[in-house]
Amino acid sequence: MSWFKRDKAADSKLPKLEDKDRHVRTEGLWQKCEGCRQITWKKDLEANWNVCPKCGHHTQIDAVTRLRLLLDDGEYEEFDGCLRSSDPLEFVDKKPYRDKLKEAEAATGLPEAIVCGRGKLEGRTVEVCSMEPRFIGGSMAGVVGEKITRAIERSIQGNHPLVIVSASGGARMQEGAVSLMQMAKISAALMRLDESRIPYISVLTDPTTGGVTASFAMLGDLNIAEPGALIGFAGPRVIEQTIRQKLPEGFQRSEFLLKHGMLDAVVPRTEQKQYISRALRFFIG
Ligand SMILES: [Zn+2]
């Protein structure tokens, strides 16, 4: 016989502890690195531009942080910040595209999946377009294409080099052909930039896929990528099913693409500013 009898009636009077109350809340203070699985203090990670101080794994950064990383004193003049999608197809899937846009705007504080600005990069004026991976997967829609094209036109007018940082799942299907035609529009504008002999540096980050890879991301005078970034056109599963072959290790990652001549360099995030500055000095003195 047990010497201790649990008083169930008294127990039921105690305030019930929910599972979430049993833990000290540290949510948001720490982050697990996807590279080394170690827990890092989030502030340390952010201070190192979201590059793991232990293993060098690159975690995504948002479009505005990216501009701050590349431009002197983090300062820039933004252009076309008021452009918004008009939902040309009045598209509805699980929910209306208009609602999706509103949610993305609320989550990111941005009206579209790209921020375009002009600033100084080690003293030299440049036009920079920075894609926002959290805005509907950084997808390229009509407004994204228009903003990039206008940035290219500003580059030509002002004779400033152009840098585009890609982070995108490709064309945005909710705008159908309007999204797809941005590939041709931007490519044609880049052709005019080339004829004006103004350098364009493309920075590919994780992920750069679909119509973005198939157009402007691969059209730079220099195409550089962040370490370990997923870069490709179709996803690996689709390719495996199509060619009925197992894909090699590291397929569609920056280092694999560099080895096979698809990229000019793999440059860690913290060295990109210096690298781009040196490249521009080489191109235009
Ligand atoms: Zn790590």
Side-chain angles (χ1 to χ4, degrees):
M1 197 177 134
S2 167
W3 54 271
F4 174 78
K5 201 165 179 213
R6 195 176 177 134
D7 185 349
K8 280 191 181 155
D11 266 6
S12 66
K13 281 180 202 134
L14 288 169
K16 235 185 154 185
L17 270 180
E18 301 272 334
D19 262 355
K20 62 178 164 56
D21 297 324
R22 291 179 199 270
H23 301 279
V24 181
R25 295 214 186 114
T26 54
E27 195 189 326
L29 286 179
W30 302 88
Q31 196 164 318
K32 193 173 187 178
C33 171
E34 279 181 34
C36 62
R37 315 304 271 165
Q38 290 197 63
I39 310 282
T40 308
W41 198 32
K42 218 171 174 182
K43 283 245 167 80
D44 281 348
L45 201 60
E46 282 166 8
N48 202 33
W49 303 99
N50 273 10
V51 177
C52 175
K54 289 164 189 150
C55 73
H57 178 81
H58 285 50
T59 312
Q60 280 181 346
I61 53 173
D62 63 81
V64 171
T65 307
R66 177 72 64 176
L67 287 168
R68 284 202 291 115
L69 165 79
L70 291 178
L71 297 170
D72 299 354
D73 304 318
E75 282 174 13
Y76 59 93
E77 180 188 355
E78 194 186 342
F79 291 93
D80 307 313
C82 55
L83 290 187
R84 278 179 170 77
S85 173
S86 62
D87 186 13
L89 305 180
E90 297 181 0
F91 194 88
V92 179
D93 47 26
K94 276 184 190 151
K95 58 176 117 172
Y97 173 44
R98 265 171 209 277
D99 293 353
K100 238 177 217 174
L101 287 167
K102 275 188 208 136
E103 282 167 22
E105 181 163 356
T108 60
L110 299 174
E112 252 303 341
I114 195 162
V115 182
C116 302
R118 178 188 297 155
K120 301 253 185 201
L121 193 151
E122 295 201 344
R124 188 194 300 275
T125 303
V126 288
E127 302 285 340
V128 184
C129 301
S130 171
M131 297 190 84
E132 174 53 66
R134 294 172 304 154
F135 195 105
I136 318 186
S139 49
M140 173 173 59
V143 168
V144 173
E146 180 62 22
K147 284 175 85 164
I148 293 175
T149 307
R150 289 184 186 189
I152 298 168
E153 286 165 353
R154 280 195 302 278
S155 277
I156 297 171
Q157 271 167 10
N159 197 17
H160 305 139
L162 173 74
V163 178
I164 303 179
V165 184
S166 301
S168 176
R172 190 177 302 162
M173 65 138 189
Q174 289 91 341
E175 293 190 20
V178 177
S179 287
L180 290 178
M181 70 163 279
Q182 305 309 316
M183 294 167 66
K185 185 169 94 180
I186 298 167
S187 302
L190 284 174
M191 180 76 194
R192 292 201 299 278
L193 186 76
D194 187 55
E195 284 163 359
S196 308
R197 304 184 67 78
I198 297 168
Y200 158 41
I201 295 177
S202 173
V203 183
L204 296 88
T205 74
D206 186 57
T208 297
T209 59
V212 168
T213 312
S215 61
F216 61 87
M218 285 294 183
L219 291 176
D221 293 301
L222 263 186
N223 300 324
I224 66 172
E226 293 201 327
L230 174 74
I231 297 163
F233 182 64
R237 218 171 341 129
V238 175
I239 299 173
E240 274 185 351
Q241 280 164 9
T242 309
I243 64 171
R244 291 160 197 268
Q245 275 181 41
K246 194 102 188 84
L247 295 168
E249 178 79 17
F251 179 71
Q252 289 186 324
R253 295 284 165 184
S254 311
E255 295 73 13
F256 185 93
L257 269 75
L258 178 69
K259 202 171 146 199
H260 291 82
M262 294 288 285
L263 290 172
D264 295 303
V266 175
V267 185
R269 189 173 291 161
T270 47
E271 295 167 24
Q272 277 166 17
K273 183 174 178 176
Q274 273 178 307
Y275 186 95
I276 294 171
S277 172
R278 199 149 33 99
L280 291 177
R281 228 174 13 247
F282 172 76
F283 281 133
I284 42 185

